[in-house]
Amino acid sequence: MLEGIDCAALLKRALAAGGEFADIYYEDGTYTNIACEDGKVERVLAASDRGVGIRVISGFSTAYAYTNQLDYRSLLQLADTVSHGVRSGLPAPDFNLCAPRRAPGQAVSLPPDQIELARKVELVNRADAAARGFDTRVRQVLAVYRDSRVRTQSVNSLGEFHEDDTCASVFMVQVVAQDGKETQTGYEPVGGSRGFELFDAVSPEELALTAAGRSVMMLGAQKSPAGRLPVVLSSEAGGTMVHEAIGHGLEADLVQAGTSVYRGRVGQKVASELITVVDDATIPYARGTFGFDGEGTPGQRTVLVENGVLKGYLYDRLSAMKEGCASTGNGRRESYRSRPIVRMTNTLIAPGKSDPADIVKSVSKGLFVKRMGGGQVNTVNGDFVFEVSEGYLVENGVIGEPVRGATLAGNGPEVLGQISMVGNDLGFGIGTCGKDGQGVPVADAQPTLLIPAITVGGAR
């Protein structure tokens, strides 16, 4: 779409009252959202949306406006609106636009926008039937299918022109089981930067049975012990730990605002020497993968912590301008309606050298966490609390009975500094990360980890 308009004129109009940088972001997306709840398909949404946002950065402040009126007159008005938010008085720079640079993309054999809606509805019905047939104690089932195909273009006052085309598919099942007064929930998601071929590798029935099995198993689980205990975090637990305990604290906008415990600690030891943390937007087909971020910066692999030492932070253009460095390709936005902000992509703790079985064998009495639930972190001091959705006792190096009601509480830098064994495996979790009212797709990953002692909440 942007090839057909005079982007240079729009950018100069946006910079008419001054500013150091301006860009235009165009987005054209198709979306599907289907939900089956209590045996009925309650929501079927198939929609498309197009729009343009124009931004000016002046004095490290941002003026941003957007529209879904795409005629040239409306875009000129949009550029004028943004320019009114700037009062630097500097003349608009001269520049020449480059030819569009297209992201290499990932091969998608079944683009979701080319699949009949009936086939997508069938998936949630199949998941519902499988979960309900698992056990008579299953009371509620929610199956959700979502997909998107989004084409984006960005042009900026540096003369850069970028294009990207991404597909994403997500499927999740949540099951509630009840036995008397006891109620437990099981949840299982799958997703990534893939098309409908995602379901060649995993079926709705598999996800439904896993979620149902977890909810029913937890009905009979004993209450978790409480106190300071050794904890083994399975690679299957996903990367909640890395995302919450350290990831958010390494986003440069939080660091610059003084709300991160990692501020001013580059070059210092912030974790065990066994720990290396990476944010990588280039992992094939991962949920947080893209060719260009929401500002046209190429997605890249950024080492944040290496052998326990903090190497740097995640930047978008604005936070990078404040420090005189380059963006790390972490300027992301939920849609054209949102200005870009610093966000993680696929964040992981790199695998180590220990056999996961040996990690479990090293624990005489503790907790094995197979699945993490939700969590929250105070980025100012690094304190966090995580729920455990599936956990087991470990006794004499053997995984034993399941337990329920466990939580993990600690401080990010302290806990990461205590990790004494890192497995040679790697497991991924997926999610939608919220920040400043925006949600973006992310993935988190970790190997099996041993925390020698952490506060476990449960029964006393």
Side-chain angles (χ1 to χ4, degrees), residues 240-266 270 277 279 304-305 310 312-315 323 342-344 347 376-384 386 412-413 416 433 435:
T240 302
M241 172 69 74
V242 65
H243 184 94
E244 298 289 355
I246 189 169
H248 277 300
L250 298 182
E251 294 170 336
D253 54 348
L254 299 182
V255 175
Q256 293 167 352
T259 56
S260 169
V261 69
Y262 297 101
R263 182 180 184 182
R265 300 194 63 184
V266 173
V270 297
V277 178
D279 186 82
L304 297 167
V305 176
L310 181 60
Y313 306 114
L314 299 174
Y315 293 92
E323 292 194 24
V342 187
R343 310 300 297 274
M344 286 175 276
T347 313
Q376 56 185 356
V377 62
N378 182 336
T379 60
V380 176
N381 58 21
D383 290 344
F384 64 79
F386 301 136
L416 290 171
C433 178
K435 178 179 174 182

Side-chain angles (χ1 to χ4, degrees), residues 29 42 67 73 112 124 161 167 195 224 253 266 360 373 381 385:
E42 298 285 356
T67 183
R73 181 178 178 182
V124 297
F161 191 162
C167 288
S224 171
D253 54 348
V266 173
V360 176
N381 58 21
V385 178

Side-chain angles (χ1 to χ4, degrees), residues 171-431:
F171 196 90
M172 56 78 64
V173 184
Q174 179 175 288
V175 178
V176 176
Q178 186 174 26
D179 191 355
K181 295 183 179 180
E182 182 64 34
T183 300
Q184 293 293 325
T185 300
Y187 174 78
E188 189 69 15
V190 68
S193 298
R194 293 182 178 274
F196 204 73
E197 70 272 11
L198 173 70
F199 302 98
D200 293 338
V202 61
S203 71
E205 289 84 358
E206 290 177 68
L207 297 170
L209 294 176
T210 298
R214 184 171 294 128
S215 66
V216 170
M217 178 183 66
M218 286 296 142
L219 286 175
Q222 59 183 292
K223 292 183 179 179
S224 171
R228 295 280 293 177
L229 295 172
V231 170
V232 177
L233 293 180
S234 168
S235 60
E236 294 182 60
T240 302
M241 172 69 74
V242 65
H243 184 94
E244 298 289 355
I246 189 169
H248 277 300
L250 298 182
E251 294 170 336
D253 54 348
L254 299 182
V255 175
Q256 293 167 352
T259 56
S260 169
V261 69
Y262 297 101
R263 182 180 184 182
R265 300 194 63 184
V266 173
Q268 297 181 16
K269 189 172 185 289
V270 297
S272 161
E273 63 184 14
L274 300 175
I275 297 296
T276 292
V277 178
V278 176
D279 186 82
D280 190 351
T282 70
I283 299 173
Y285 301 108
R287 179 154 161 77
T289 293
F290 49 78
F292 296 106
D293 71 4
E295 303 178 296
T297 304
Q300 55 195 270
R301 181 180 187 272
T302 303
V303 177
L304 297 167
V305 176
E306 186 172 29
N307 299 327
V309 176
L310 181 60
K311 307 301 287 187
Y313 306 114
L314 299 174
Y315 293 92
D316 63 356
R317 285 188 187 270
L318 178 59
S319 59
M321 288 171 67
K322 291 180 180 179
E323 292 194 24
C325 63
S327 168
T328 56
N330 291 89
R332 306 187 65 191
R333 60 177 99 204
E334 182 174 324
S335 75
Y336 68 88
R337 294 181 172 86
S338 308
R339 65 181 178 87
I341 56 177
V342 187
R343 310 300 297 274
M344 286 175 276
T345 63
N346 306 304
T347 313
L348 59 93
I349 295 176
K353 298 181 179 179
S354 297
D355 186 322
D358 291 338
I359 296 177
V360 176
K361 289 177 183 177
S362 71
V363 177
S364 59
K365 187 174 183 179
L367 181 69
F368 179 83
V369 177
K370 187 173 182 179
R371 281 287 187 179
M372 297 286 281
Q376 56 185 356
V377 62
N378 182 336
T379 60
V380 176
N381 58 21
D383 290 344
F384 64 79
V385 178
F386 301 136
E387 296 177 356
V388 176
S389 61
E390 184 176 354
Y392 300 83
L393 293 176
V394 178
E395 294 184 317
N396 299 319
V398 177
I399 298 174
E401 295 298 314
V403 295
R404 57 185 170 85
T407 60
L408 304 181
N411 178 271
E414 291 178 7
V415 170
L416 290 171
Q418 294 174 17
I419 291 174
S420 57
M421 298 181 76
V422 177
N424 56 16
D425 53 349
L426 187 67
F428 280 81
I430 65 167

